[in-house]
Amino acid sequence: MKKILFLLVAAVCSFAACDPIHEDISNNSKITADELKAKTTISVDQANGQNGNVITCQTSAAVNAVWNIGGKEFIGNFAKKKMKLGEHKVILTALCADGTVLKDSAIINCQVITDPLEKIYIYGDPKKEQEPAVLGPGDAAAGRFSDNEGKFFPYISDDVYFGKKTLIFEIIAAEEGKFIWGDDFGCTCRVMNGWWSTAYEDNYPLSVGLWELPITDQMAAECARGGEGRDLDILMTRGSVTIKSVYYEE
């Protein structure tokens, strides 16, 4: 395992926004940045002298810790995540008993796949018989992730929403067409919810290949069944696309 140590800088700020309290540190005094550094490591698995794609983060310091690994947050003194190849930013935010926050970041370069990411299918699982989904212009029902109101896609589970997964759409055909409220041409979509109350992306260009759509906090709160239950919806504003599958990786 390759270990990468943090160089931490002390700062004072409020944790009220994310409320990461997960253990009782009330009887512990403030620690220094050097003490936290000595008790904190990131381990990257290795293969033939290269960094693998599994990042493990750990601190034994008496703090409340929040890790952000490649944009995903983990609350706790231990965190582990499989990553895609490439560079990823890891941020540690540590709350001391007196309210002092120690915070810094590191860039980790994953060079080889040592533990392949598993595809979790929402639609288009190759083990099932499902026809590709065709989304045409102006048809909001076609792209709604709803068992009741959608034409193709099922509900997305709350674990996917609140886990802020990145949805991957496998687009096998993309046709340009006229803008549904004008004469402009292209192949674009609006990412919204089924109530038409929020547009998370508008006139987003689509093409053949893999389209990655990260779930945001707002999308989770508004679209999840455990939230407002408005359902994620993909509305084509120009042209049409054929989607073979929708999945996320972990």
Side-chain angles (χ1 to χ4, degrees):
M1 303 287 277
K2 183 178 181 180
K3 295 184 178 180
I4 299 149
L5 300 180
F6 278 106
L7 298 176
L8 294 155
V9 179
V12 178
C13 65
S14 172
F15 256 61
C18 61
D19 190 23
I21 302 300
H22 60 277
E23 68 176 72
D24 184 7
I25 61 170
S26 58
N27 294 325
N28 293 311
S29 60
K30 170 186 172 182
I31 67 172
T32 67
D34 287 340
E35 289 172 324
L36 185 59
K37 172 189 170 183
K39 296 181 178 181
T40 301
T41 62
I42 300 176
S43 298
V44 185
D45 59 331
Q46 295 284 296
N48 298 321
Q50 292 184 295
N51 289 345
N53 70 307
V54 181
I55 298 176
T56 302
C57 307
Q58 187 171 2
T59 181
S60 60
V63 296
N64 288 321
V66 178
W67 299 93
N68 186 304
I69 308 175
K72 304 294 183 181
E73 284 194 351
F74 300 85
I75 298 177
N77 290 57
F78 177 86
K80 184 176 183 179
K81 191 174 187 302
K82 290 193 289 187
M83 308 298 293
K84 294 182 179 180
L85 297 184
E87 290 189 346
H88 304 283
K89 190 172 186 178
V90 179
I91 303 171
L92 170 61
T93 305
L95 175 64
C96 297
D98 68 346
T100 298
V101 174
L102 307 176
K103 186 173 183 178
D104 203 12
S105 62
I107 301 297
I108 308 303
N109 184 19
C110 296
Q111 301 166 310
V112 294
I113 295 293
T114 49
D115 191 354
L117 292 164
E118 181 183 359
K119 293 182 180 180
I120 311 297
Y121 284 90
I122 296 171
Y123 183 81
D125 188 335
K127 297 178 182 178
K128 301 178 181 179
E129 293 185 3
Q130 289 180 314
E131 295 295 324
V134 180
L135 310 187
D139 187 356
R144 184 167 180 168
F145 286 83
S146 170
D147 292 342
N148 299 326
E149 300 182 57
K151 287 185 178 179
F152 299 102
F153 306 137
Y155 287 134
I156 296 175
S157 72
D158 282 8
D159 288 343
V160 174
Y161 278 122
F162 292 114
K164 291 186 287 185
K165 306 296 186 182
T166 295
L167 302 184
I168 302 174
F169 293 75
E170 185 181 2
I171 299 174
I172 57 175
E175 301 291 336
E176 290 193 357
K178 186 170 71 171
F179 185 51
I180 57 177
W181 294 292
D183 295 327
D184 191 14
F185 280 80
C187 185
T188 60
C189 75
R190 173 180 297 170
V191 180
M192 61 179 193
N193 60 57
W195 292 6
W196 293 68
S197 58
T198 307
Y200 310 109
E201 296 279 358
D202 205 6
N203 296 319
Y204 188 90
L206 298 177
S207 59
V208 172
L210 300 180
W211 169 40
E212 297 190 2
L213 176 63
I215 298 293
T216 65
D217 287 329
Q218 183 181 14
M219 291 162 67
E222 294 181 351
C223 299
R225 309 308 295 170
E228 297 177 13
R230 301 184 182 188
D231 304 325
L232 185 66
D233 202 341
I234 308 299
L235 170 71
M236 295 303 299
T237 53
R238 297 180 183 85
S240 64
V241 294
T242 302
I243 298 172
K244 182 179 180 180
S245 64
V246 182
Y247 60 90
Y248 61 94
E249 294 179 316
E250 61 179 22

